[in-house]
Amino acid sequence: MNNSETPQVTALKLKKKSRLLEVTFDDGQTFQLSCEMLRVHSPSAEVHGHGNPVLVTHKKNVNITALDPVGNYAVKITFDDGHNTGLFSWKVLHDLGTHQVDLWEKYLARLRAEKASREPLIDMAVKYHN
């Protein structure tokens, strides 16, 4: 699908409790993308490197703190881990939604191959007592 055929986003709905971003397109499709999926597949240079994608780990509980529209073609997403350098174009969001099962399986396989983890390094819900 080329850019002129990419459906336009008509609605973005952040569901913070379930850590999902619901994306609706003008072709009638709606995708539920997890914040973790969006974070580990960020289109940023930090994640994509120079043609050698970085494996992003420990983002199971990541959430989105801000959605900032960029023109009528993209959204800048700020995550609660501070990451905010990727612009998620409508094409990127549509591709992530359309291919999310395959992309997620490949991500989990890469985590296993590199003996990495989705689990947070520090569980913010744990209370420490002296």
Side-chain angles (χ1 to χ4, degrees), residues 7 12 21 43 63 66 91 96 106 112:
L12 289 172
L21 181 63
N63 214 329
K91 178 170 178 23
L96 286 173
K106 286 179 180 174
R112 284 189 299 273

Side-chain angles (χ1 to χ4, degrees), residues 83-123:
H83 181 75
N84 68 351
T85 58
L87 287 185
F88 289 80
S89 69
W90 299 162
K91 178 170 178 23
V92 166
L93 290 172
H94 192 266
D95 288 348
L96 286 173
T98 303
H99 305 291
Q100 67 179 314
V101 172
D102 186 49
L103 288 168
W104 190 247
E105 287 174 1
K106 286 179 180 174
Y107 172 69
L108 293 177
R110 189 168 173 209
L111 280 174
R112 284 189 299 273
E114 297 192 24
K115 296 182 177 31
S117 176
R118 294 175 52 218
E119 296 301 321
L121 290 174
I122 297 172
D123 186 350

Side-chain angles (χ1 to χ4, degrees), residues 1-129:
M1 180 176 282
N2 65 37
N3 286 340
S4 65
E5 296 172 350
T6 299
Q8 296 297 298
V9 170
T10 57
L12 289 172
K13 183 177 181 183
L14 178 59
K15 299 178 174 184
K16 287 189 90 133
K17 283 187 180 178
S18 52
R19 293 185 172 95
L20 293 172
L21 181 63
E22 185 176 276
V23 186
T24 303
F25 292 89
D26 63 4
D27 66 355
Q29 293 186 87
T30 298
F31 299 108
Q32 303 263 343
L33 298 169
S34 73
C35 295
E36 182 182 12
M37 170 84 169
L38 292 163
R39 176 63 179 89
V40 302
H41 287 94
S42 171
S44 70
E46 172 191 328
V47 171
H48 282 278
H50 297 284
N52 186 17
V54 172
L55 178 61
V56 179
T57 60
H58 308 294
K59 299 301 176 187
K60 184 176 181 179
N61 295 334
V62 74
N63 214 329
I64 292 172
T65 58
L67 297 168
D68 298 303
V70 179
N72 60 357
Y73 68 93
V75 63
K76 178 180 176 184
I77 298 177
T78 301
F79 295 90
D80 62 6
D81 66 354
H83 181 75
N84 68 351
T85 58
L87 287 185
F88 289 80
S89 69
W90 299 162
K91 178 170 178 23
V92 166
L93 290 172
H94 192 266
D95 288 348
L96 286 173
T98 303
H99 305 291
Q100 67 179 314
V101 172
D102 186 49
L103 288 168
W104 190 247
E105 287 174 1
K106 286 179 180 174
Y107 172 69
L108 293 177
R110 189 168 173 209
L111 280 174
R112 284 189 299 273
E114 297 192 24
K115 296 182 177 31
S117 176
R118 294 175 52 218
E119 296 301 321
L121 290 174
I122 297 172
D123 186 350
M124 299 309 246
V126 174
K127 304 263 192 254
Y128 294 97
H129 300 282

